[in-house]
Amino acid sequence: MAARMRILKDMLPPLTEDQARALARRILEAHRFEPSIADVLAHWREMERRRRQQEGTIYLDEAPPRISNAERKRRAGELRRVRTALGQRRSVPGLVVSEGLTAFARSFFPHMSEELIERNKMEIANCRADREREDRCASPYVTMMELDETGCVTLYMAKRPREEDAHAEDPALFEVCR
């Protein structure tokens, strides 16, 4: 019995007091003798399925918003235009680049234009997220960016500078590990 309880404790999510009472009531009503682990899990899944169905009825009562065919075609054309421009590495007017992302890009490339930042915003955002994660984990490596002559940003890994070089802001001090 103790082994079954330990197995059930591992297999069931944490239950509230009301959920535990409801599950016990269902099991007592359905089983005359001790239920198997599979029976208990089946009752729990059924309770969760019903709960999700009841919560879902709130959304099913609302009618989805109607969109005219002209609006649907306009949106589809806009998505195709943006996808094509991004595929050709052209800038797309109207895509917003945050001030924080612009400042991060300019910490590497001070004279980088808004158009280049917009065109390379995914790489810049990935570098920024990786740098934040590496700083949190105190990683010995750091993600760096390189700008080629065509205006494309490339990411690479570099070793962090030694402690005595930590005050230097120049990315050229990093040892490249490609």
Side-chain angles (χ1 to χ4, degrees):
M1 180 68 174
R4 279 189 187 181
M5 291 303 291
R6 191 172 44 252
I7 291 170
L8 280 174
K9 197 177 240 183
D10 291 342
M11 295 181 87
L12 287 173
L15 302 174
T16 65
E17 193 174 318
D18 292 335
Q19 290 173 328
R21 277 193 193 110
L23 181 59
R25 191 175 314 115
R26 285 179 63 99
I27 292 170
L28 289 174
E29 290 171 359
H31 299 280
R32 189 169 182 194
F33 300 105
E34 189 175 340
S36 67
I37 292 173
D39 291 333
V40 174
L41 291 175
H43 283 290
W44 173 251
R45 285 187 201 106
E46 178 64 22
M47 280 177 51
E48 280 297 294
R49 186 182 65 75
R50 285 190 181 169
R51 184 187 59 79
R52 277 189 242 111
Q53 275 182 340
Q54 289 172 350
E55 287 177 359
T57 57
I58 296 168
Y59 302 108
L60 295 177
D61 291 343
E62 298 173 6
R66 300 290 295 167
I67 299 173
S68 68
N69 283 338
E71 177 66 14
R72 188 174 288 125
K73 287 180 182 179
R74 187 194 67 73
R75 289 180 184 182
E78 180 71 15
L79 285 172
R80 277 192 299 276
R81 185 183 66 76
V82 168
R83 189 176 331 142
T84 302
L86 291 174
Q88 296 172 352
R89 307 278 298 166
R90 290 184 293 138
S91 69
V92 179
L95 291 182
V96 179
V97 177
S98 70
E99 291 178 19
L101 194 64
T102 302
F104 181 78
R106 290 203 173 129
S107 70
F108 282 86
F109 314 109
H111 302 293
M112 189 176 214
S113 70
E114 291 288 330
E115 180 186 345
L116 276 180
I117 293 172
E118 189 174 307
R119 188 174 359 151
N120 293 291
K121 77 176 189 175
M122 294 305 295
E123 287 83 5
I124 297 168
N126 284 337
C127 182
R128 182 179 177 189
D130 288 348
R131 294 286 292 261
E132 289 170 356
R133 182 178 38 81
E134 292 156 357
D135 289 344
R136 279 193 314 269
C137 299
S139 172
Y141 296 96
V142 66
T143 304
M144 299 292 292
M145 291 190 291
E146 184 175 75
L147 185 64
D148 66 11
E149 62 278 349
T150 63
C152 293
V153 170
T154 306
L155 303 181
Y156 65 94
M157 296 297 292
K159 273 193 162 196
R160 283 191 188 269
R162 295 183 309 267
E163 283 296 319
E164 57 269 11
D165 295 335
H167 65 279
E169 295 289 325
D170 186 11
L173 291 176
F174 288 93
E175 299 175 33
V176 177
C177 302
R178 292 193 218 192

